[in-house]
Structures are given as C-alpha cells and as structure tokens.
C-alpha cells in the first residue's frame, strides 16, 4: 500500500463551489486538522524508522560478537582434542628420561 495523500496535496486541494456548497472556512479548518494529523503521523513513522535502524544495527553487532565468541569457543574446545592420550604419555616419558638421565 502506498501513501496517496501528503500534506502538500491536502494543502493545495481546491473545491468547486456549488449553489448549495460547503462553507469554505469549515472545509479549510477541517483540512488544517487533517494536515496536522498527517504531520504528526509522519513524524512518528520517521522516529520509529530511526529506532528500528538503531535496533537492527545493535542486533547485527550482537550477532557478530556471538559469532566471534562461538568461533573462539570452538577453537579452545578443539585444542585439547588435537593431542591424544598416547601422545601425552610419550611426551611425559621423554621428559622423564631427559630429567632422570641428566642427574
């Protein structure tokens, strides 16, 4: 749905006067009230769009931070699995040999 009326269209609208037409002053006052409402709602929409943009930016920052944390946690969780128990025992054994053979 697109906006069909703007404050400029409402302001520039001219009505034809018939024999039993409406009071021009009443019509102008009513259109002024309509224009004020349009301006008020346009401001609300603008403010809400700005707020939404800020929330979306914050959300994207939070997603980036979460992805960074997940990647860090994956790296730290994968690190111990790189060494098997056999490898650790071999290293300890070699270290013991070095320490005890030097004495």
């Amino acid at each position: 749905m697109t906006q069909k009326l703007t404050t400029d269209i409402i302001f520039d609208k001219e009505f034809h006067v018939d024999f039993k037409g409406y009071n021009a002053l009443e019509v102008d006052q009513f259109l002024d009230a309509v224009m004020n409402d349009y301006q008020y709602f346009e401001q609300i929409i603008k403010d809400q769009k700005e707020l939404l943009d800020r929330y979306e930016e914050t959300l994207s920052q939070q997603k980036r931070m979460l992805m960074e944390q997940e990647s860090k946690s994956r790296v730290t969780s994968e690190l111990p699995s790189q060494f098997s128990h056999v490898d650790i025992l071999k290293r300890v054994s070699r270290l013991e040999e070095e320490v005890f053979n030097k004495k």
Side-chain angles (χ1 to χ4, degrees):
M1 184 172 139
T2 60
Q3 183 179 2
K4 295 180 182 175
L5 295 176
T6 64
T7 54
D8 291 334
I9 293 172
I10 295 168
F11 182 75
D12 293 335
K13 179 67 178 165
E14 292 185 20
F15 295 94
H16 300 286
V17 179
D18 287 338
F19 176 66
K20 291 186 176 183
Y22 295 102
N23 182 342
L25 182 61
E26 288 179 12
V27 172
D28 285 344
Q29 288 174 345
F30 179 75
L31 290 178
D32 287 342
V34 171
M35 283 177 36
N36 288 335
D37 281 351
Y38 262 78
Q39 289 171 341
Y40 173 72
F41 292 129
E42 285 173 349
Q43 186 61 44
I44 288 175
I45 290 170
K46 180 184 172 205
D47 293 345
Q48 293 300 313
K49 281 185 82 169
E50 290 173 359
L51 184 63
L52 179 62
D53 291 342
R54 285 198 315 257
Y55 283 145
E56 287 177 343
E57 178 62 29
T58 302
L59 180 62
S60 66
Q61 289 174 357
Q62 294 293 326
K63 284 181 180 180
R64 281 194 299 269
M65 289 172 55
L66 181 63
M67 288 175 60
E68 289 174 7
Q69 290 296 327
E70 287 176 348
S71 67
K72 287 179 182 178
S73 69
R74 257 189 266 124
V75 167
T76 57
S77 67
E78 291 172 358
L79 186 62
S81 67
Q82 293 175 350
F83 303 109
S84 70
H85 295 291
V86 175
D87 292 334
I88 293 173
L89 287 171
K90 285 180 182 178
R91 291 181 73 188
V92 168
S93 175
R94 276 188 257 133
L95 285 171
E96 286 176 344
E97 285 177 16
E98 286 293 321
V99 169
F100 291 122
N101 286 338
K102 286 188 177 182
K103 285 188 175 183

